[in-house]
Amino acid sequence: MTDGEVRASPSGPPAAVLDALFLRDTCAELEEVLKRARHEVSNFREEIGSLADEPNLPTGFREAYAQVISLLAAVETAIADGDEQCCALGAKFHSSGLLNWKEDELATPPDAVEAARSVIREINGTEIHVASALKSARSALAKCPDKRLFDWAMPFNCEFTVLFNTDPTRRFYQSCGEGDEPIRLRVRPRLHDRSLSSPKNDGSYNWNVFQFSEDHPLRDDRHGYLVHCLFDHGPLPWEMLSYIRGIGVELTFTDYETVWVAPRQDLDRL
């Protein structure tokens, strides 16, 4: 994982705003965790589902697999119930005001607009750098002798994390309780190779969500896709840009499967 340094704000973000953002991020992460868990449990249950009725399997083993399948079904149901409760909990937090903040809690200094623009330029540069790295990696993979090993529809995933300076009164949000560890909030949705390598992301297309808002101070700025995700796919207010310490970038290969086939003469001996 690499961290792209953007700029260092002299102080941490407003505590009240940070509280709301971190709770929003926690709820979003909980929802994703439950969805992944349900998907994995369901897939595992389907994989072994037929073993409980396999006639060539001894009775004791069939009964054992039936119990395992029954347990997996119960776990899947519990996760589904938890998913519904997660949505209800998020709605409860929203209606209570915990996920929002008052305008006066997001007071902006006189140079906030210029500071935000500086950060936007740095983030745009980071995105171009990552897109270039993906292009180089794609080119390298294309030279692989066996191209069947890769999922060419979407060979990479990029996960971005916003790293905030820490408010002294909110040190407990840190990933590490000591030192100068930044507060981390994920950028959703996860960006993949095609979203970053789109022709729209060659530096010419403007993803600015504020360009049609007449009174917005950033309406005339050019935003890349990553900046667009910060505002349009997440709850980050533009006033928080000056508190960003950096952007964490995690690049991973997508999963692939390959099958080894025995030579014909070996198969004949089986």
Side-chain angles (χ1 to χ4, degrees):
M1 180 172 180
T2 59
D3 292 343
E5 288 298 325
V6 175
R7 69 189 296 273
S9 176
S11 61
V17 180
L18 183 62
D19 289 342
L21 287 174
F22 203 86
L23 183 56
R24 286 189 186 191
D25 188 70
T26 300
C27 291
E29 183 68 20
L30 174 59
E31 184 178 349
E32 291 184 12
V33 167
L34 289 172
K35 286 182 178 179
R36 288 197 303 268
R38 185 177 181 182
H39 178 72
E40 291 182 6
V41 170
S42 176
N43 283 350
F44 183 43
R45 181 173 58 81
E46 290 179 2
E47 286 178 8
I48 65 173
S50 62
L51 294 179
D53 302 315
E54 175 55 52
N56 294 323
L57 199 62
T59 302
F61 286 95
R62 287 203 306 272
E63 292 176 350
Y65 279 115
Q67 294 177 59
V68 171
I69 294 167
S70 177
L71 175 59
L72 288 172
V75 171
E76 191 175 350
T77 300
I79 294 174
D81 291 341
D83 193 21
E84 292 182 5
Q85 293 179 43
C86 176
C87 294
L89 197 59
K92 177 182 177 181
F93 291 158
H94 189 275
S95 61
S96 70
L98 283 174
L99 302 183
N100 302 298
W101 51 83
K102 300 176 182 177
E103 284 193 20
D104 59 357
E105 293 173 332
L106 196 55
T108 55
D111 63 343
V113 175
E114 199 51 48
R117 284 176 175 151
S118 177
V119 172
I120 287 172
R121 286 193 293 269
E122 295 291 340
I123 295 176
N124 286 343
T126 296
E127 178 182 328
I128 292 173
H129 177 74
V130 172
S132 176
L134 288 174
K135 184 177 180 180
S136 297
R138 260 186 174 273
S139 178
L141 289 179
K143 298 175 183 178
C144 178
D146 192 349
K147 296 180 177 58
R148 296 172 300 174
L149 295 178
F150 304 101
D151 177 7
W152 287 98
M154 197 180 299
F156 306 108
N157 272 323
C158 286
E159 185 170 323
F160 290 87
T161 306
V162 179
L163 311 178
F164 280 109
N165 281 335
T166 312
D167 184 297
T169 65
R170 295 297 186 271
R171 295 274 183 192
F172 47 80
Y173 283 144
Q174 296 180 25
S175 301
C176 178
E178 299 178 358
D180 193 29
E181 184 73 13
I183 297 173
R184 299 171 178 267
L185 296 177
R186 283 182 52 196
V187 179
R188 295 178 173 84
R190 176 176 293 190
L191 307 180
H192 54 74
D193 175 40
R194 283 189 294 185
S195 64
L196 287 173
S197 59
S198 165
K200 289 185 177 181
N201 292 333
D202 62 358
S204 61
Y205 188 82
N206 190 2
W207 289 92
N208 190 343
V209 297
F210 306 125
Q211 58 184 308
F212 303 111
S213 302
E214 292 185 5
D215 299 327
H216 201 283
L218 300 178
R219 62 167 297 184
D220 296 325
D221 295 74
R222 195 199 70 77
H223 296 175
Y225 186 69
L226 180 52
V227 175
H228 164 83
C229 288
L230 291 177
F231 298 133
D232 197 46
H233 300 168
L236 189 70
W238 73 267
E239 295 91 341
M240 292 287 282
L241 282 174
S242 61
Y243 299 104
I244 293 180
R245 171 172 164 177
I247 298 290
V249 182
E250 184 176 358
L251 175 63
T252 57
F253 287 88
T254 52
D255 295 335
Y256 65 87
E257 294 182 0
T258 182
V259 178
W260 178 80
V261 180
R264 182 72 249 173
Q265 60 269 27
D266 292 338
L267 290 176
D268 292 338
R269 298 194 191 102
L270 295 179

